[in-house]
Amino acid sequence: MSEPTSFYAQSPTPGDVSARFPDLHPAFEQTAAIAEAHRCLYCFDAPCMTACPTHIDVPKFIKKIATGNLEGSAKTILDANILGASCSRACPVDVLCEGACVMHRYNKQPIEIGRLQRFAMDALHESGAPLPFTPGADTGKRVALIGGGPASLACAAELRRRGITADIYDARPLPGGLNTYGIAEYKLPLAESLREIDLLSQLGVTFHFNTLVDAAKLAELEASYDAVFLGMGLGAIHKLGLTGEDMPGVTNALDYIAGYKSGEIATAPPKVAVIGAGNTAIDAANAAVRLGATEVTMVYRRGPEQMSAFSFEYEHAKQEGVKFLWHVVTAGLEGSDKLEALKLAKLETTADGSLVPQQGSEFTLPVDLIVLAIGQATHTEFLSGDKVKLERGRILIDRATGQTSNPKYFAGGDCTNGGREVVDAVADGKRAGIGIAAALEAN
Ligand code: SF4
């Protein structure tokens, strides 16, 4: 293991892929940012701050933008949320801070908090200024963190600020988890995720890449560290369980998104079907459009009212030209060496509310590629025995401290909540970092 000086410098260059995925919400120009910052009412008991899972002091950072103190603004953001840059791009602000802005009460546009936050964070990154925090005095305590995504990164930052060694173990070759590999490029470019981690790394976090933590490795880590943080997220995307699912032309949304973000996938075939209707399914469908598919269809068992994707994501997909097939179930795959079509059947609701295929309703959708986005399995099989208590595969934690049923183990992010937003993982990691430090100090 050798620690690189810059992850950002190692970003794969995805050629023309980046040009096909311009920012969904373009960066503010300085004049526009300052004008927007002056629109803020700097509310006392600001509801935007309460709506943020990491409780960023929104009026304070916006006021600093208005007065030209961009470094101070970034410090305010980072103090609450060490991944403030990626959250400014990836957060569903319509349902969080901006959704809570008091401007709605006056029938005015909410303050563009996400874009202002990005403006302050971009300014810090571009200035080359160091992270405005330093590691705490060494306590001699050591923590192993499993998974290099947002929860572990946020936890590691809190630990380092308190003088605790933070060693992150990740199966991938680059840090960031879903921030780096799983969020659509037009929301959070891979390079931006790495640039943010470069800044955070100044606290002295150590990374062990290409390291799969199984039961044996976990036992080794447990024996040599004072505490273990579990932030490994979720596992593989579920399969359909149909014959032929392993043939070329069938993939899953996370591999698909990671593939184009790293430049390994540069084009899409003409006809693509995405199975599922969550936010990741939408990201995959939009990606297929931008990679050149001429007909992209999302296939879902229920109707638009039941889809788990946010309504603004649904609207975005419609604008991109994605088509939708509602109330259908996948009944089979056609093709031998290579996928040719998807067999579907219409669903109807029975008296007891269950969904069943309608007799004689089968039809065929010609496709060149199927992308599965029907939810992820949990990834806790390496927690053998009763290492920590689980509920339906999720790790049970004390929400205030992140501690599991095993006092040496803490956890946060998707492996505890089943898959929520990046900012929820950051909030979990932050709480756990503080919780671990308090527990180690008490010992
Ligand atoms: S609620 Fe809106 S106006 Fe009030 S502080 Fe937050 S962003 Fe500014």
Side-chain angles (χ1 to χ4, degrees):
M1 193 270 312
S2 67
E3 196 168 339
T5 51
S6 168
F7 300 119
Y8 182 60
Q10 298 181 77
S11 305
T13 41
D16 71 338
V17 171
S18 57
R20 293 190 187 200
F21 292 86
D23 287 344
L24 195 56
H25 302 294
F28 264 134
E29 297 290 339
Q30 179 154 351
T31 315
I34 290 171
E36 183 67 0
H38 277 293
R39 243 179 20 96
C40 178
L41 303 177
Y42 312 121
C43 305
F44 186 71
D45 278 343
C48 52
M49 188 172 163
T50 311
C52 171
T54 58
H55 305 304
I56 293 174
D57 192 334
V58 175
K60 189 173 171 186
F61 94 71
I62 292 182
K63 187 147 210 171
K64 286 181 176 170
I65 292 176
T67 57
N69 178 6
L70 294 186
E71 200 169 326
S73 178
K75 183 173 185 303
T76 301
I77 295 162
L78 287 167
D79 207 21
N81 182 336
I82 198 73
L83 299 186
S86 54
C87 287
S88 74
R89 293 165 179 262
C91 265
V93 289
D94 305 40
V95 295
L96 293 173
C97 54
E98 293 181 21
C101 178
V102 295
M103 289 297 190
H104 290 287
R105 292 185 210 159
Y106 309 119
N107 287 325
K108 291 187 175 163
Q109 283 296 314
I111 304 300
E112 291 196 69
I113 301 168
R115 288 178 75 199
L116 286 173
Q117 186 171 317
R118 176 178 165 187
F119 179 72
M121 293 309 305
D122 281 354
L124 182 77
H125 285 154
E126 280 151 24
S127 73
L131 187 74
F133 311 118
T134 49
D138 188 12
T139 61
K141 302 287 185 187
R142 301 169 68 245
V143 176
L145 301 99
I146 318 302
S152 286
L153 292 169
C155 181
E158 292 300 335
L159 295 171
R160 293 300 304 130
R161 289 177 75 178
R162 289 163 176 78
I164 297 167
T165 294
D167 289 351
I168 292 182
Y169 292 82
D170 196 287
R172 299 256 200 184
L174 285 171
L178 286 182
N179 269 14
T180 299
Y181 291 104
I183 296 177
E185 186 78 3
Y186 51 75
K187 293 181 193 163
L188 178 57
L190 181 148
E192 289 303 322
S193 168
L194 298 180
R195 181 157 77 159
E196 175 173 58
I197 298 166
D198 277 354
L199 197 66
L200 181 152
S201 299
Q202 292 172 14
L203 284 169
V205 177
T206 307
F207 292 91
H208 302 256
F209 296 117
N210 303 306
T211 306
L212 191 69
V213 176
D214 54 14
K217 181 72 181 172
L218 187 65
E220 188 192 303
L221 297 177
E222 183 184 309
S224 52
Y225 286 88
D226 297 294
V228 177
F229 176 77
L230 302 167
M232 62 283 182
L234 292 170
I237 285 194
H238 293 301
K239 292 199 162 196
L240 292 169
L242 296 174
T243 306
E245 207 165 333
D246 295 324
M247 77 174 117
V250 184
T251 186
N252 70 71
L254 290 178
D255 286 349
Y256 193 59
I257 293 168
Y260 86 75
K261 286 193 79 164
S262 61
E264 284 162 25
I265 297 174
T267 59
K271 293 179 194 297
V272 177
V274 178
I275 319 285
N279 294 314
T280 303
I282 298 241
D283 281 353
N286 289 343
V289 172
R290 298 202 179 197
L291 291 168
T294 49
E295 198 174 307
V296 179
T297 310
M298 288 187 67
V299 174
Y300 183 45
R301 290 167 60 86
R302 299 175 188 274
E305 311 76 32
Q306 289 91 23
M307 69 193 296
S308 59
F310 293 119
S311 54
F312 60 84
E313 297 278 17
Y314 174 38
E315 291 305 318
H316 179 210
K318 286 195 284 187
Q319 283 165 18
E320 293 276 335
V322 174
K323 295 188 173 70
F324 293 83
L325 272 176
W326 306 114
H327 305 290
V328 289
V329 64
T330 48
L333 305 173
E334 285 184 2
S336 46
D337 301 340
K338 184 178 151 303
L339 178 73
E340 286 168 12
L342 180 60
K343 283 198 265 183
L344 298 164
K346 291 186 182 160
L347 284 169
E348 61 184 359
T349 311
T350 59
D352 68 358
S354 41
L355 292 170
V356 294
Q358 241 175 58
Q359 282 246 305
S361 68
E362 292 81 11
F363 63 102
T364 299
L365 181 72
V367 286
D368 307 297
L369 176 70
I370 292 174
V371 184
L372 303 178
I374 47 176
Q376 287 172 264
T378 54
H379 172 46
T380 47
E381 59 286 347
F382 69 102
L383 299 168
S384 51
D386 52 2
K387 179 84 70 190
V388 297
K389 263 194 194 143
L390 306 174
E391 189 177 79
R392 286 180 291 125
R394 298 177 193 177
I395 300 169
L396 286 176
I397 55 167
D398 174 337
R399 282 276 152 211
T401 63
Q403 195 163 37
T404 69
S405 57
N406 181 333
K408 193 165 185 176
Y409 281 78
F410 292 71
D414 287 357
C415 61
T416 65
N417 62 32
R420 294 183 67 183
E421 302 302 324
V422 173
V423 69
D424 294 300
V426 174
D428 277 3
K430 181 175 142 183
R431 274 192 294 269
I434 296 167
I436 294 170
L440 295 183
E441 198 182 340
N443 284 339

